[in-house]
């Protein structure tokens, strides 16, 4: 029997196993693209997804640059540009963006009205977070678009922890997202492909999430902020970096209490939660938009004056 089991037979078995693996991953890939395309109302973005993601099979490639350029026109316009005082940079995800709200109902608008400062909103309405801010901070054109701010305000939510732990490039959130890896205390973009992962024996593919212990997740989150501040410090002087934790409920409040923020505070960060500002978590019916569970205008009406007074130490300048 052994004489029939030669190198040719072994090679055929290995090739079949490899092709089976590729076929399974390809089915997952196209399933993701189909779902993304159905969920996306932007025809250009649908075309980009279907025509662009094939590169992940064969190249060490990241299409986030292309995606970012495509989405940039959809970023919020600066609010309060008539004011001449030093601006505020607001960033984060859909919470900071004002998803589900009209422009005059957002945190951005209310912050500009109360401080009489221009507010540049560089958040986006979907799955963005600390890694997107770091990506922006490492782009030279970002500093041409946003002048030296007086304050940088990042609205932090619990889901950001899960997002920075994701090894997925293609997600059910419709847009590709980049992943960073840590090397010697520095974060680098990981640009991988299916075949690259396969031949380098990566323990994950681009379709799966990698589990990271909670303590390591917390340290990774803080590293994103440290790396971002390092980039900002190269371009901006005398600004205040504020992390505003949005406490949606008591469980999330307790979750963030597990993080030791002292190392960030020693580096000049200001860490504050919405519950610290207003005396309760933001889980009342009037605090959320019922159909998408994002902060309502009433929530920002409560938070913004307290934030301006207690954190920025500025008077209410609204006429």
């Amino acid at each position: 029997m052994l004489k029939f089991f030669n190198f040719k037979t072994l090679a055929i078995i290995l090739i079949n196993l490899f092709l089976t693996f590729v076929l399974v991953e390809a089915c997952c890939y196209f399933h993701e693209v189909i779902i993304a395309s159905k969920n996306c109302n932007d025809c250009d973005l649908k075309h980009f997804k279907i025509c662009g993601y094939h590169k992940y099979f064969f190249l060490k490639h990241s299409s986030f640059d292309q995606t970012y350029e495509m989405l940039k026109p959809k970023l919020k316009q600066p609010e309060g540009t008539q004011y001449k005082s030093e601006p505020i940079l607001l960033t984060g995800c859909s919470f900071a963006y004002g998803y589900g709200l009209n422009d005059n109902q957002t945190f951005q608008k209310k912050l500009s009205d109360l401080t009489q400062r221009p507010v540049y909103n560089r958040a986006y309405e979907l799955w963005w977070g600390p890694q997107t801010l770091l990506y922006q901070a490492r782009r030279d054109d970002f500093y041409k678009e946003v002048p030296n701010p007086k304050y940088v305000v990042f609205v932090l939510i619990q889901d950001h922890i899960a997002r920075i732990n994701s090894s997925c490039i293609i997600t059910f959130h419709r847009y590709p997202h980049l992943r960073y890896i840590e090397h010697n205390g520095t974060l680098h973009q990981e640009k991988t492909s299916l075949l690259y992962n396969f031949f380098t024996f990566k323990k994950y593919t681009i379709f799966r999430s990698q589990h990271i212990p909670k303590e390591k997740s917390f340290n990774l989150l803080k590293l994103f902020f440290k790396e971002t501040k390092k980039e900002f410090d190269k371009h901006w002087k005398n600004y205040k970096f504020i992390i505003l934790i949005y406490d949606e409920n008591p469980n999330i409040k307790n979750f963030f209490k597990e993080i030791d923020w002292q190392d960030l505070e020693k580096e000049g960060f200001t860490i504050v939660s919405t519950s610290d500002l207003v005396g309760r978590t933001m889980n009342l019916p009037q605090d959320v938009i019922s159909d998408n569970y994002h902060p309502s205008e009433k929530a920002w009406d409560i938070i913004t004056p307290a934030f301006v007074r207690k954190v920025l130490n500025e008077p209410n300048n609204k006429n």
Side-chain angles (χ1 to χ4, degrees), residues 1-17:
M1 180 177 178
L2 290 176
K3 67 179 183 179
F4 296 105
F5 192 79
N6 52 29
F7 287 110
K8 183 177 180 180
T9 303
L10 180 61
I12 291 173
I13 292 173
L14 292 176
I15 290 172
N16 285 333
L17 287 173

Side-chain angles (χ1 to χ4, degrees), residues 68-279:
Y68 182 75
E69 291 301 326
M70 183 175 291
L71 298 182
K72 272 175 63 176
K74 298 181 181 180
L75 294 173
K76 293 281 189 183
Q77 292 299 310
E79 183 65 51
T81 52
Q82 71 273 23
Y83 302 129
K84 303 302 180 183
S85 53
E86 296 166 297
I88 298 171
L89 170 62
L90 175 62
T91 186
C93 62
S94 52
F95 277 49
Y97 181 84
Y99 183 69
L101 298 174
N102 296 325
D103 287 345
N104 63 350
Q105 299 174 314
T106 61
F107 184 35
Q108 176 188 12
K109 170 64 173 175
K110 297 178 186 300
L111 195 56
S112 179
D113 286 346
L114 290 180
T115 61
Q116 293 192 355
R117 295 179 182 275
V119 177
Y120 290 78
N121 192 338
R122 284 301 176 265
Y124 193 69
E125 62 179 331
L126 288 173
W127 204 67
W128 287 20
Q131 63 269 64
T132 317
L133 180 60
L134 178 57
Y135 171 85
Q136 291 174 319
R138 288 178 172 172
R139 290 175 62 100
D140 290 336
D141 60 351
F142 179 76
Y143 301 95
K144 297 176 183 177
E145 300 165 2
V146 181
N148 194 148
K150 178 71 173 178
Y151 306 105
V152 174
V153 181
F154 185 94
V155 180
L156 178 66
I157 65 172
Q158 186 184 28
D159 197 41
H160 289 155
I161 302 288
R163 296 174 192 180
I164 63 173
N165 286 345
S166 174
S167 61
C168 295
I169 301 293
I170 304 172
T171 76
F172 289 106
H173 293 269
R174 305 189 297 173
Y175 300 121
H177 210 71
L178 79 170
R179 180 177 182 267
Y180 284 88
I181 55 174
E182 179 187 356
H183 181 66
N184 294 331
T186 303
L187 291 165
H188 305 275
Q189 283 190 49
E190 185 175 46
K191 301 180 180 181
T192 62
S193 68
L194 185 150
L195 294 184
Y196 174 78
N197 284 338
F198 181 80
F199 286 116
T200 54
F201 302 101
K202 296 283 186 178
K203 63 181 177 181
Y204 55 85
T205 71
I206 61 175
F207 303 108
R208 293 170 174 79
S209 292
Q210 182 182 19
H211 174 72
I212 300 179
K214 184 183 288 188
E215 188 62 33
K216 187 173 181 180
S217 298
F218 294 161
N219 291 334
L220 186 60
L221 174 69
K222 292 188 287 185
L223 184 57
F224 270 102
F225 287 124
K226 291 177 182 178
E227 290 282 285
T228 299
K229 189 175 186 299
K230 189 186 302 181
E231 297 296 328
F232 286 167
D233 288 346
K234 296 176 184 177
H235 299 268
W236 297 333
K237 304 297 181 185
N238 303 319
Y239 69 95
K240 186 176 183 179
F241 201 135
I242 302 163
I243 300 174
L244 175 62
I245 299 169
Y246 196 95
D247 294 332
E248 297 174 76
N249 58 57
N251 290 333
I252 291 178
K253 178 179 179 179
N254 292 332
F255 173 84
F256 278 113
K257 281 187 174 181
E258 295 182 46
I259 303 179
D260 184 358
W261 297 105
Q262 290 186 37
D263 51 340
L264 287 190
E265 292 172 336
K266 289 178 181 178
E267 295 192 20
F269 287 85
T270 297
I271 319 294
V272 65
S273 70
T274 52
S275 60
D276 292 335
L277 294 176
V278 304

Side-chain angles (χ1 to χ4, degrees), residues 247-250 280-285 287-288:
D247 294 332
E248 297 174 76
N249 58 57
R280 65 172 179 83
T281 55
M282 307 306 297
N283 60 332
L284 297 181
D287 296 333
V288 296

Side-chain angles (χ1 to χ4, degrees), residues 29-30 33 37 43-56 61 63 66:
Y29 162 82
F30 286 112
V33 172
S37 298
C43 295
D44 292 335
L45 196 57
K46 285 183 185 179
H47 181 268
F48 169 76
K49 281 187 165 294
I50 294 171
C51 296
Y53 282 162
H54 68 277
K55 297 177 182 178
Y56 281 114
H61 172 83
S63 63
Q66 296 169 272

